[in-house]
Amino acid sequence: MKHLILIGFMGSGKSTLGLRLAKCLHLQYVDTDRYIEEKERTSIQEIFDTKGETFFRNLETEVLKELLQSDKKMIVSLGGGTPLREENQRLIKESDSFCVYLKMGIEEAYNRLKKDTKRPLLKTENPKKTIEELLTIRNPLYEETADYILDEEGKNVAMVLEELIEIEEKQNENFSN
Ligand code: S3P
């Protein structure tokens, strides 16, 4: 297995869990949103505002390609919208990486995101409705892209982390057999 990739909706814990997982496994960690911000020397919000969403989406694909080419095994958290582009889905599937979807329901997503100010896509009149609409469209795409669907319902961070460690160990066993 190449990298372990975390996908899921905004607020699903990709960054928090990715970082913790990488620490536990002594692997390098990359969060594509932060990577893009470093590369562009500005925030995602600023990129959306000044250059538009398509420009940002093109950057996502570029960064994804770059990371998937790296031989050094990493834990990678992708932005919530990355798996929506067919090209990105294909890149993930063909990369020999293992992709985990951190799945949560609409209510949970809303509770986690209601005080958020950093996500440009949620700056709407009715963020709950936006979350519901986006998640309904995206859920099947996340499921289609993932090798493993990790349902976060009723689980705390420690439980999800443990499940991720088990996944990684199992993948390594399969790989070495
Ligand atoms: C987006 C999710 C964000 C960020 C951008 C767009 C999306 O990342 O990439 O605001 O389309 O869902 P997180 O999922 O890390 O919040």
Side-chain angles (χ1 to χ4, degrees), residues 8-12 14-15 31 33-34 44 48 53 56-57 60 78-82 84 113 118-121 134 138 142:
F9 199 66
M10 297 171 263
S12 57
K14 301 179 296 284
S15 307
D31 175 319
D33 282 340
R34 300 295 82 75
I44 303 280
F48 267 74
E53 183 171 349
F56 172 73
R57 297 300 177 196
E60 278 190 315
L78 298 183
T82 315
L84 308 186
L113 291 164
K118 288 194 178 144
R119 268 98 170 184
L121 293 182
L134 288 176
R138 291 177 174 198
Y142 291 143

PDB file of all heavy atoms in Angstrom, residues 8-12 14-15 31 33-34 44 48 53 56-57 60 78-82 84 113 118-121 134 138 142, ligand 1:
ATOM      1  N   GLY A   8     -13.747  12.849   3.238  1.00  0.00           N
ATOM      2  CA  GLY A   8     -14.994  13.036   3.974  1.00  0.00           C
ATOM      3  C   GLY A   8     -15.394  14.494   3.942  1.00  0.00           C
ATOM      4  O   GLY A   8     -14.648  15.366   3.462  1.00  0.00           O
ATOM      5  N   PHE A   9     -16.575  14.743   4.459  1.00  0.00           N
ATOM      6  CA  PHE A   9     -17.136  16.088   4.445  1.00  0.00           C
ATOM      7  C   PHE A   9     -16.348  17.010   5.380  1.00  0.00           C
ATOM      8  O   PHE A   9     -15.632  16.541   6.271  1.00  0.00           O
ATOM      9  CB  PHE A   9     -18.599  16.029   4.892  1.00  0.00           C
ATOM     10  CG  PHE A   9     -19.407  17.224   4.495  1.00  0.00           C
ATOM     11  CD1 PHE A   9     -19.661  17.504   3.165  1.00  0.00           C
ATOM     12  CD2 PHE A   9     -19.923  18.079   5.466  1.00  0.00           C
ATOM     13  CE1 PHE A   9     -20.413  18.610   2.795  1.00  0.00           C
ATOM     14  CE2 PHE A   9     -20.678  19.193   5.104  1.00  0.00           C
ATOM     15  CZ  PHE A   9     -20.921  19.456   3.764  1.00  0.00           C
ATOM     16  N   MET A  10     -16.502  18.306   5.188  1.00  0.00           N
ATOM     17  CA  MET A  10     -15.905  19.287   6.105  1.00  0.00           C
ATOM     18  C   MET A  10     -16.330  18.927   7.525  1.00  0.00           C
ATOM     19  O   MET A  10     -17.485  18.583   7.755  1.00  0.00           O
ATOM     20  CB  MET A  10     -16.435  20.700   5.774  1.00  0.00           C
ATOM     21  CG  MET A  10     -16.051  21.182   4.402  1.00  0.00           C
ATOM     22  SD  MET A  10     -16.914  22.720   3.955  1.00  0.00           S
ATOM     23  CE  MET A  10     -18.289  22.108   2.975  1.00  0.00           C
ATOM     24  N   GLY A  11     -15.399  19.013   8.462  1.00  0.00           N
ATOM     25  CA  GLY A  11     -15.736  18.749   9.861  1.00  0.00           C
ATOM     26  C   GLY A  11     -15.722  17.278  10.253  1.00  0.00           C
ATOM     27  O   GLY A  11     -15.980  16.949  11.407  1.00  0.00           O
ATOM     28  N   SER A  12     -15.397  16.402   9.315  1.00  0.00           N
ATOM     29  CA  SER A  12     -15.427  14.969   9.658  1.00  0.00           C
ATOM     30  C   SER A  12     -14.198  14.544  10.464  1.00  0.00           C
ATOM     31  O   SER A  12     -14.112  13.394  10.897  1.00  0.00           O
ATOM     32  CB  SER A  12     -15.575  14.111   8.399  1.00  0.00           C
ATOM     33  OG  SER A  12     -14.521  14.386   7.502  1.00  0.00           O
ATOM     34  N   LYS A  14     -10.877  14.883   9.380  1.00  0.00           N
ATOM     35  CA  LYS A  14      -9.766  14.393   8.550  1.00  0.00           C
ATOM     36  C   LYS A  14      -8.418  14.917   9.034  1.00  0.00           C
ATOM     37  O   LYS A  14      -7.457  14.162   9.139  1.00  0.00           O
ATOM     38  CB  LYS A  14      -9.960  14.816   7.080  1.00  0.00           C
ATOM     39  CG  LYS A  14     -11.238  14.315   6.445  1.00  0.00           C
ATOM     40  CD  LYS A  14     -11.372  14.797   5.015  1.00  0.00           C
ATOM     41  CE  LYS A  14     -11.507  16.291   4.818  1.00  0.00           C
ATOM     42  NZ  LYS A  14     -12.811  16.883   5.118  1.00  0.00           N
ATOM     43  N   SER A  15      -8.362  16.217   9.346  1.00  0.00           N
ATOM     44  CA  SER A  15      -7.085  16.815   9.737  1.00  0.00           C
ATOM     45  C   SER A  15      -6.652  16.369  11.131  1.00  0.00           C
ATOM     46  O   SER A  15      -5.508  15.954  11.332  1.00  0.00           O
ATOM     47  CB  SER A  15      -7.165  18.341   9.708  1.00  0.00           C
ATOM     48  OG  SER A  15      -7.641  18.754   8.464  1.00  0.00           O
ATOM     49  N   ASP A  31      -1.778  17.595   4.923  1.00  0.00           N
ATOM     50  CA  ASP A  31      -3.162  18.043   4.797  1.00  0.00           C
ATOM     51  C   ASP A  31      -3.177  18.906   3.535  1.00  0.00           C
ATOM     52  O   ASP A  31      -2.481  19.934   3.478  1.00  0.00           O
ATOM     53  CB  ASP A  31      -3.484  18.871   6.054  1.00  0.00           C
ATOM     54  CG  ASP A  31      -4.854  19.501   6.008  1.00  0.00           C
ATOM     55  OD1 ASP A  31      -5.246  19.992   4.938  1.00  0.00           O
ATOM     56  OD2 ASP A  31      -5.515  19.530   7.053  1.00  0.00           O
ATOM     57  N   ASP A  33      -5.225  20.962   2.170  1.00  0.00           N
ATOM     58  CA  ASP A  33      -5.641  22.367   2.306  1.00  0.00           C
ATOM     59  C   ASP A  33      -4.489  23.240   2.817  1.00  0.00           C
ATOM     60  O   ASP A  33      -4.217  24.313   2.295  1.00  0.00           O
ATOM     61  CB  ASP A  33      -6.825  22.503   3.272  1.00  0.00           C
ATOM     62  CG  ASP A  33      -8.146  22.101   2.642  1.00  0.00           C
ATOM     63  OD1 ASP A  33      -8.233  22.087   1.406  1.00  0.00           O
ATOM     64  OD2 ASP A  33      -9.084  21.805   3.395  1.00  0.00           O
ATOM     65  N   ARG A  34      -3.821  22.723   3.876  1.00  0.00           N
ATOM     66  CA  ARG A  34      -2.709  23.488   4.453  1.00  0.00           C
ATOM     67  C   ARG A  34      -1.553  23.573   3.445  1.00  0.00           C
ATOM     68  O   ARG A  34      -0.877  24.580   3.330  1.00  0.00           O
ATOM     69  CB  ARG A  34      -2.177  22.832   5.750  1.00  0.00           C
ATOM     70  CG  ARG A  34      -3.166  22.691   6.882  1.00  0.00           C
ATOM     71  CD  ARG A  34      -3.652  24.009   7.456  1.00  0.00           C
ATOM     72  NE  ARG A  34      -4.729  24.644   6.705  1.00  0.00           N
ATOM     73  CZ  ARG A  34      -6.008  24.253   6.699  1.00  0.00           C
ATOM     74  NH1 ARG A  34      -6.378  23.217   7.420  1.00  0.00           N
ATOM     75  NH2 ARG A  34      -6.915  24.888   5.990  1.00  0.00           N
ATOM     76  N   ILE A  44      -7.358  29.550   2.049  1.00  0.00           N
ATOM     77  CA  ILE A  44      -8.314  28.977   1.092  1.00  0.00           C
ATOM     78  C   ILE A  44      -9.404  30.020   0.801  1.00  0.00           C
ATOM     79  O   ILE A  44      -9.798  30.231  -0.345  1.00  0.00           O
ATOM     80  CB  ILE A  44      -8.980  27.702   1.685  1.00  0.00           C
ATOM     81  CG1 ILE A  44      -7.941  26.659   2.092  1.00  0.00           C
ATOM     82  CG2 ILE A  44     -10.038  27.135   0.737  1.00  0.00           C
ATOM     83  CD1 ILE A  44      -7.372  25.805   1.036  1.00  0.00           C
ATOM     84  N   PHE A  48     -10.503  31.428  -2.854  1.00  0.00           N
ATOM     85  CA  PHE A  48     -11.881  31.418  -3.362  1.00  0.00           C
ATOM     86  C   PHE A  48     -12.305  32.835  -3.755  1.00  0.00           C
ATOM     87  O   PHE A  48     -12.899  33.063  -4.799  1.00  0.00           O
ATOM     88  CB  PHE A  48     -12.855  30.871  -2.307  1.00  0.00           C
ATOM     89  CG  PHE A  48     -13.134  29.390  -2.406  1.00  0.00           C
ATOM     90  CD1 PHE A  48     -12.182  28.457  -2.018  1.00  0.00           C
ATOM     91  CD2 PHE A  48     -14.347  28.916  -2.879  1.00  0.00           C
ATOM     92  CE1 PHE A  48     -12.434  27.084  -2.082  1.00  0.00           C
ATOM     93  CE2 PHE A  48     -14.624  27.548  -2.955  1.00  0.00           C
ATOM     94  CZ  PHE A  48     -13.662  26.638  -2.556  1.00  0.00           C
ATOM     95  N   GLU A  53     -13.419  29.383  -7.334  1.00  0.00           N
ATOM     96  CA  GLU A  53     -13.402  27.968  -6.928  1.00  0.00           C
ATOM     97  C   GLU A  53     -12.682  27.082  -7.955  1.00  0.00           C
ATOM     98  O   GLU A  53     -11.944  26.166  -7.574  1.00  0.00           O
ATOM     99  CB  GLU A  53     -14.841  27.468  -6.697  1.00  0.00           C
ATOM    100  CG  GLU A  53     -14.840  26.024  -6.211  1.00  0.00           C
ATOM    101  CD  GLU A  53     -16.199  25.512  -5.746  1.00  0.00           C
ATOM    102  OE1 GLU A  53     -17.138  26.313  -5.582  1.00  0.00           O
ATOM    103  OE2 GLU A  53     -16.294  24.279  -5.548  1.00  0.00           O
ATOM    104  N   PHE A  56      -9.075  27.008  -7.403  1.00  0.00           N
ATOM    105  CA  PHE A  56      -8.769  26.195  -6.223  1.00  0.00           C
ATOM    106  C   PHE A  56      -8.855  24.707  -6.556  1.00  0.00           C
ATOM    107  O   PHE A  56      -7.993  23.915  -6.175  1.00  0.00           O
ATOM    108  CB  PHE A  56      -9.727  26.543  -5.077  1.00  0.00           C
ATOM    109  CG  PHE A  56      -9.589  25.625  -3.895  1.00  0.00           C
ATOM    110  CD1 PHE A  56      -8.484  25.701  -3.050  1.00  0.00           C
ATOM    111  CD2 PHE A  56     -10.552  24.656  -3.634  1.00  0.00           C
ATOM    112  CE1 PHE A  56      -8.352  24.830  -1.967  1.00  0.00           C
ATOM    113  CE2 PHE A  56     -10.426  23.781  -2.555  1.00  0.00           C
ATOM    114  CZ  PHE A  56      -9.314  23.876  -1.716  1.00  0.00           C
ATOM    115  N   ARG A  57      -9.896  24.314  -7.294  1.00  0.00           N
ATOM    116  CA  ARG A  57     -10.077  22.899  -7.641  1.00  0.00           C
ATOM    117  C   ARG A  57      -8.926  22.402  -8.515  1.00  0.00           C
ATOM    118  O   ARG A  57      -8.502  21.254  -8.393  1.00  0.00           O
ATOM    119  CB  ARG A  57     -11.422  22.678  -8.346  1.00  0.00           C
ATOM    120  CG  ARG A  57     -12.642  23.011  -7.503  1.00  0.00           C
ATOM    121  CD  ARG A  57     -12.725  22.181  -6.242  1.00  0.00           C
ATOM    122  NE  ARG A  57     -13.867  22.548  -5.406  1.00  0.00           N
ATOM    123  CZ  ARG A  57     -13.996  22.207  -4.133  1.00  0.00           C
ATOM    124  NH1 ARG A  57     -13.062  21.497  -3.523  1.00  0.00           N
ATOM    125  NH2 ARG A  57     -15.032  22.583  -3.429  1.00  0.00           N
ATOM    126  N   GLU A  60      -6.073  21.720  -6.278  1.00  0.00           N
ATOM    127  CA  GLU A  60      -6.282  20.451  -5.557  1.00  0.00           C
ATOM    128  C   GLU A  60      -5.795  19.269  -6.394  1.00  0.00           C
ATOM    129  O   GLU A  60      -5.108  18.382  -5.885  1.00  0.00           O
ATOM    130  CB  GLU A  60      -7.776  20.244  -5.266  1.00  0.00           C
ATOM    131  CG  GLU A  60      -8.300  20.958  -4.063  1.00  0.00           C
ATOM    132  CD  GLU A  60      -9.722  20.499  -3.722  1.00  0.00           C
ATOM    133  OE1 GLU A  60     -10.566  20.383  -4.616  1.00  0.00           O
ATOM    134  OE2 GLU A  60      -9.993  20.287  -2.544  1.00  0.00           O
ATOM    135  N   LEU A  78      -7.469  14.863   2.562  1.00  0.00           N
ATOM    136  CA  LEU A  78      -7.877  15.671   1.402  1.00  0.00           C
ATOM    137  C   LEU A  78      -8.963  16.660   1.789  1.00  0.00           C
ATOM    138  O   LEU A  78      -9.756  16.392   2.702  1.00  0.00           O
ATOM    139  CB  LEU A  78      -8.411  14.767   0.292  1.00  0.00           C
ATOM    140  CG  LEU A  78      -7.457  13.741  -0.302  1.00  0.00           C
ATOM    141  CD1 LEU A  78      -8.148  12.987  -1.433  1.00  0.00           C
ATOM    142  CD2 LEU A  78      -6.189  14.412  -0.833  1.00  0.00           C
ATOM    143  N   GLY A  79      -9.045  17.759   1.071  1.00  0.00           N
ATOM    144  CA  GLY A  79     -10.147  18.703   1.272  1.00  0.00           C
ATOM    145  C   GLY A  79     -11.469  17.994   0.958  1.00  0.00           C
ATOM    146  O   GLY A  79     -11.503  17.069   0.137  1.00  0.00           O
ATOM    147  N   GLY A  80     -12.530  18.457   1.594  1.00  0.00           N
ATOM    148  CA  GLY A  80     -13.825  17.788   1.454  1.00  0.00           C
ATOM    149  C   GLY A  80     -14.350  17.680   0.026  1.00  0.00           C
ATOM    150  O   GLY A  80     -15.158  16.804  -0.286  1.00  0.00           O
ATOM    151  N   GLY A  81     -13.884  18.565  -0.851  1.00  0.00           N
ATOM    152  CA  GLY A  81     -14.417  18.543  -2.217  1.00  0.00           C
ATOM    153  C   GLY A  81     -13.538  17.779  -3.202  1.00  0.00           C
ATOM    154  O   GLY A  81     -13.937  17.562  -4.356  1.00  0.00           O
ATOM    155  N   THR A  82     -12.369  17.360  -2.772  1.00  0.00           N
ATOM    156  CA  THR A  82     -11.420  16.741  -3.722  1.00  0.00           C
ATOM    157  C   THR A  82     -11.978  15.498  -4.431  1.00  0.00           C
ATOM    158  O   THR A  82     -11.815  15.360  -5.641  1.00  0.00           O
ATOM    159  CB  THR A  82     -10.084  16.402  -3.020  1.00  0.00           C
ATOM    160  OG1 THR A  82      -9.693  17.495  -2.212  1.00  0.00           O
ATOM    161  CG2 THR A  82      -9.002  16.081  -4.020  1.00  0.00           C
ATOM    162  N   LEU A  84     -14.744  14.847  -5.525  1.00  0.00           N
ATOM    163  CA  LEU A  84     -15.888  15.086  -6.399  1.00  0.00           C
ATOM    164  C   LEU A  84     -15.494  15.084  -7.874  1.00  0.00           C
ATOM    165  O   LEU A  84     -16.287  14.764  -8.740  1.00  0.00           O
ATOM    166  CB  LEU A  84     -16.559  16.423  -6.074  1.00  0.00           C
ATOM    167  CG  LEU A  84     -16.932  16.645  -4.616  1.00  0.00           C
ATOM    168  CD1 LEU A  84     -17.699  17.928  -4.474  1.00  0.00           C
ATOM    169  CD2 LEU A  84     -17.739  15.477  -4.094  1.00  0.00           C
ATOM    170  N   LEU A 113     -20.168  22.088  12.463  1.00  0.00           N
ATOM    171  CA  LEU A 113     -19.782  23.195  11.575  1.00  0.00           C
ATOM    172  C   LEU A 113     -20.527  24.500  11.827  1.00  0.00           C
ATOM    173  O   LEU A 113     -20.221  25.513  11.210  1.00  0.00           O
ATOM    174  CB  LEU A 113     -20.003  22.768  10.116  1.00  0.00           C
ATOM    175  CG  LEU A 113     -19.063  21.674   9.594  1.00  0.00           C
ATOM    176  CD1 LEU A 113     -19.620  21.059   8.313  1.00  0.00           C
ATOM    177  CD2 LEU A 113     -17.673  22.232   9.328  1.00  0.00           C
ATOM    178  N   LYS A 118     -14.481  29.553   8.558  1.00  0.00           N
ATOM    179  CA  LYS A 118     -13.384  29.434   7.586  1.00  0.00           C
ATOM    180  C   LYS A 118     -13.747  28.740   6.279  1.00  0.00           C
ATOM    181  O   LYS A 118     -12.940  28.693   5.369  1.00  0.00           O
ATOM    182  CB  LYS A 118     -12.231  28.666   8.239  1.00  0.00           C
ATOM    183  CG  LYS A 118     -11.519  29.486   9.296  1.00  0.00           C
ATOM    184  CD  LYS A 118     -10.209  28.843   9.670  1.00  0.00           C
ATOM    185  CE  LYS A 118      -9.480  29.687  10.700  1.00  0.00           C
ATOM    186  NZ  LYS A 118      -8.773  28.897  11.665  1.00  0.00           N
ATOM    187  N   ARG A 119     -14.943  28.141   6.207  1.00  0.00           N
ATOM    188  CA  ARG A 119     -15.273  27.397   4.997  1.00  0.00           C
ATOM    189  C   ARG A 119     -16.128  28.245   4.059  1.00  0.00           C
ATOM    190  O   ARG A 119     -17.305  28.499   4.335  1.00  0.00           O
ATOM    191  CB  ARG A 119     -16.021  26.116   5.351  1.00  0.00           C
ATOM    192  CG  ARG A 119     -15.134  24.901   5.535  1.00  0.00           C
ATOM    193  CD  ARG A 119     -14.837  24.651   6.958  1.00  0.00           C
ATOM    194  NE  ARG A 119     -14.180  23.362   7.145  1.00  0.00           N
ATOM    195  CZ  ARG A 119     -13.888  22.895   8.355  1.00  0.00           C
ATOM    196  NH1 ARG A 119     -14.166  23.574   9.428  1.00  0.00           N
ATOM    197  NH2 ARG A 119     -13.280  21.734   8.460  1.00  0.00           N
ATOM    198  N   PRO A 120     -15.520  28.663   2.925  1.00  0.00           N
ATOM    199  CA  PRO A 120     -16.255  29.535   1.996  1.00  0.00           C
ATOM    200  C   PRO A 120     -17.590  28.955   1.537  1.00  0.00           C
ATOM    201  O   PRO A 120     -18.556  29.698   1.353  1.00  0.00           O
ATOM    202  CB  PRO A 120     -15.291  29.701   0.813  1.00  0.00           C
ATOM    203  CG  PRO A 120     -14.096  28.865   1.086  1.00  0.00           C
ATOM    204  CD  PRO A 120     -14.144  28.389   2.486  1.00  0.00           C
ATOM    205  N   LEU A 121     -17.648  27.629   1.380  1.00  0.00           N
ATOM    206  CA  LEU A 121     -18.883  27.035   0.847  1.00  0.00           C
ATOM    207  C   LEU A 121     -20.052  27.106   1.822  1.00  0.00           C
ATOM    208  O   LEU A 121     -21.203  26.943   1.435  1.00  0.00           O
ATOM    209  CB  LEU A 121     -18.643  25.565   0.473  1.00  0.00           C
ATOM    210  CG  LEU A 121     -17.701  25.285  -0.692  1.00  0.00           C
ATOM    211  CD1 LEU A 121     -17.617  23.789  -0.943  1.00  0.00           C
ATOM    212  CD2 LEU A 121     -18.186  25.976  -1.962  1.00  0.00           C
ATOM    213  N   LEU A 134     -25.219  19.519   0.088  1.00  0.00           N
ATOM    214  CA  LEU A 134     -23.885  19.062  -0.323  1.00  0.00           C
ATOM    215  C   LEU A 134     -23.649  17.611   0.067  1.00  0.00           C
ATOM    216  O   LEU A 134     -23.165  16.803  -0.723  1.00  0.00           O
ATOM    217  CB  LEU A 134     -22.797  19.942   0.313  1.00  0.00           C
ATOM    218  CG  LEU A 134     -22.630  21.360  -0.222  1.00  0.00           C
ATOM    219  CD1 LEU A 134     -21.588  22.123   0.590  1.00  0.00           C
ATOM    220  CD2 LEU A 134     -22.219  21.352  -1.688  1.00  0.00           C
ATOM    221  N   ARG A 138     -22.735  14.465  -2.157  1.00  0.00           N
ATOM    222  CA  ARG A 138     -21.372  13.957  -2.016  1.00  0.00           C
ATOM    223  C   ARG A 138     -21.268  12.559  -1.429  1.00  0.00           C
ATOM    224  O   ARG A 138     -20.338  11.823  -1.763  1.00  0.00           O
ATOM    225  CB  ARG A 138     -20.565  14.918  -1.136  1.00  0.00           C
ATOM    226  CG  ARG A 138     -20.304  16.235  -1.831  1.00  0.00           C
ATOM    227  CD  ARG A 138     -19.580  17.157  -0.907  1.00  0.00           C
ATOM    228  NE  ARG A 138     -19.189  18.390  -1.566  1.00  0.00           N
ATOM    229  CZ  ARG A 138     -18.276  19.193  -1.092  1.00  0.00           C
ATOM    230  NH1 ARG A 138     -17.664  18.918   0.048  1.00  0.00           N
ATOM    231  NH2 ARG A 138     -17.955  20.289  -1.741  1.00  0.00           N
ATOM    232  N   TYR A 142     -18.236   9.942  -2.150  1.00  0.00           N
ATOM    233  CA  TYR A 142     -17.234   9.544  -1.149  1.00  0.00           C
ATOM    234  C   TYR A 142     -17.224   8.015  -1.032  1.00  0.00           C
ATOM    235  O   TYR A 142     -16.163   7.387  -0.984  1.00  0.00           O
ATOM    236  CB  TYR A 142     -17.575  10.136   0.227  1.00  0.00           C
ATOM    237  CG  TYR A 142     -17.441  11.646   0.368  1.00  0.00           C
ATOM    238  CD1 TYR A 142     -18.343  12.369   1.145  1.00  0.00           C
ATOM    239  CD2 TYR A 142     -16.390  12.344  -0.218  1.00  0.00           C
ATOM    240  CE1 TYR A 142     -18.223  13.744   1.327  1.00  0.00           C
ATOM    241  CE2 TYR A 142     -16.260  13.729  -0.044  1.00  0.00           C
ATOM    242  CZ  TYR A 142     -17.179  14.416   0.720  1.00  0.00           C
ATOM    243  OH  TYR A 142     -17.055  15.772   0.901  1.00  0.00           O
TER     244      TYR A 142
HETATM  245  C1  S3P B   1     -14.121  22.168   0.801  1.00  0.00           C
HETATM  246  C2  S3P B   1     -13.591  21.708   1.977  1.00  0.00           C
HETATM  247  C3  S3P B   1     -12.485  22.378   2.667  1.00  0.00           C
HETATM  248  C4  S3P B   1     -11.644  23.196   1.675  1.00  0.00           C
HETATM  249  C5  S3P B   1     -12.523  24.107   0.891  1.00  0.00           C
HETATM  250  C6  S3P B   1     -13.595  23.354   0.094  1.00  0.00           C
HETATM  251  C7  S3P B   1     -15.248  21.414   0.197  1.00  0.00           C
HETATM  252  O1  S3P B   1     -11.661  21.417   3.299  1.00  0.00           O
HETATM  253  O2  S3P B   1     -10.917  22.348   0.834  1.00  0.00           O
HETATM  254  O3  S3P B   1     -13.116  25.007   1.771  1.00  0.00           O
HETATM  255  O4  S3P B   1     -15.545  21.591  -0.994  1.00  0.00           O
HETATM  256  O5  S3P B   1     -15.837  20.575   0.914  1.00  0.00           O
HETATM  257  P1  S3P B   1     -12.067  20.605   4.661  1.00  0.00           P
HETATM  258  O6  S3P B   1     -12.884  19.435   4.232  1.00  0.00           O
HETATM  259  O7  S3P B   1     -10.756  20.196   5.214  1.00  0.00           O
HETATM  260  O8  S3P B   1     -12.812  21.552   5.514  1.00  0.00           O
END
